[in-house]
Amino acid sequence: MGDLLINLLASVIAGSAVWLAQFAVRRRRLDRERAFFGLAPGAGALLVASRHFSSPSDDSVHRRDVAALVELATLVRECGARADVVGGAELRQELGRVTEFCVGGPSANPRAAVHLRTALPGVEYRPDEKNIFVIGTTRYANSRDVRFAVLARFRAPTASRPVYFLGGLSSDGNLAAARHLADHHRDLFRQYGADRPFCLVLRIREPEAYGTDFTEVAADVSDVAFTPAGNGED
């Protein structure tokens, strides 16, 4: 009987040690996730929705953008925060009060257009040239087989909370950016920490056949995205 009790006690101790170790790992991951997104338990976050480009209604949202918002709302919920959805044309709020996720390109989301002008001046959007981004000396244009999106994080100079910009040249680009952020935020945290701004161009291959499954980083343009185009040139 004594040996049985000792074995049971040893099993309980070992099981408790494993549970505590797993709990500590989960807690560290959650703390890093909260730091990366600037979210705290009970805090609010804004999900800024893009208007459906081909709809006359300001309240219409493309189904892929809805899916992108769901991905982001899930991230917010995992951090113990709450998400509020608002249209890009409706939002009148200073940067940095709460974490903001702005979904959509400047043609369909006025808030996105303002972010590009003020925070990402090195990312030039040209709707009159087949709907392209120009960043540095490179042009990124959608084609039948490839889509592009910009995924960026920045803060206003005096802001405490970050803005995440997820701007595709189409709705499938918006969704790809949201899923990339959801799937790779731990990698992004290791590379950029909780505070360093970044700007990535994402390439989505064969979206008509595979959706967002083949999304990759086409370029890290953090060195030029936050500087006005042509700055420093002769």
Side-chain angles (χ1 to χ4, degrees):
M1 181 64 71
D3 290 342
L4 177 60
L5 290 176
I6 291 173
N7 289 335
L8 287 173
L9 181 59
S11 297
V12 170
I13 293 173
S16 298
V18 171
W19 182 87
L20 288 172
Q22 292 175 342
F23 175 81
V25 170
R26 290 194 299 268
R27 186 54 188 262
R28 285 197 298 270
R29 286 178 178 174
L30 180 58
D31 288 344
R32 288 195 294 265
E33 187 172 352
R34 286 171 172 168
F36 180 77
F37 289 115
L39 294 169
L46 281 176
L47 308 184
V48 186
S50 178
R51 177 182 60 82
H52 196 305
F53 185 75
S54 60
S55 172
S57 172
D58 289 338
D59 297 325
S60 179
V61 180
H62 195 283
R63 61 181 177 82
R64 292 195 188 97
D65 287 344
V66 172
L69 294 170
V70 170
E71 292 277 356
L72 298 171
T74 301
L75 286 175
V76 173
R77 183 75 175 270
E78 288 175 355
C79 293
R82 66 182 188 278
D84 296 313
V85 180
V86 63
E90 305 170 15
L91 185 58
R92 301 290 186 274
Q93 181 167 323
E94 295 177 3
L95 296 178
R97 292 185 178 179
V98 297
T99 297
E100 177 182 331
F101 299 88
C102 186
V103 178
S107 290
N109 189 332
R111 183 80 167 180
V114 175
H115 288 334
L116 284 181
R117 289 199 305 269
T118 58
L120 296 161
V123 179
E124 185 181 359
Y125 174 67
R126 296 182 183 177
D128 55 338
E129 294 186 24
K130 296 184 180 180
N131 199 31
I132 69 170
F133 283 123
V134 179
I135 307 174
T137 59
T138 306
R139 301 159 65 92
Y140 300 94
N142 280 357
S143 66
R144 178 181 176 181
D145 301 327
V146 177
R147 306 283 194 274
F148 288 100
V150 169
L151 172 61
R153 179 182 68 183
F154 61 88
R155 281 180 167 85
T158 59
S160 60
R161 303 297 180 186
V163 175
Y164 285 86
F165 173 73
L166 303 91
L169 291 173
S170 58
S171 59
D172 44 10
N174 299 338
L175 178 55
R179 288 179 172 168
H180 186 85
L181 184 62
D183 292 341
H184 298 283
H185 61 81
R186 293 188 182 93
D187 298 328
L188 293 170
F189 179 84
R190 284 191 287 268
Q191 185 169 0
Y192 302 103
D195 300 310
R196 181 181 163 195
F198 64 82
C199 184
L200 307 175
V201 178
L202 304 180
R203 181 191 295 113
I204 305 96
R205 296 186 181 276
E206 302 293 346
E208 298 297 331
Y210 302 123
T212 63
D213 287 350
F214 283 84
T215 299
E216 60 189 3
V217 176
D220 184 335
V221 294
S222 304
D223 58 336
V224 296
F226 301 101
T227 304
N231 188 59
E233 293 183 358
D234 294 335

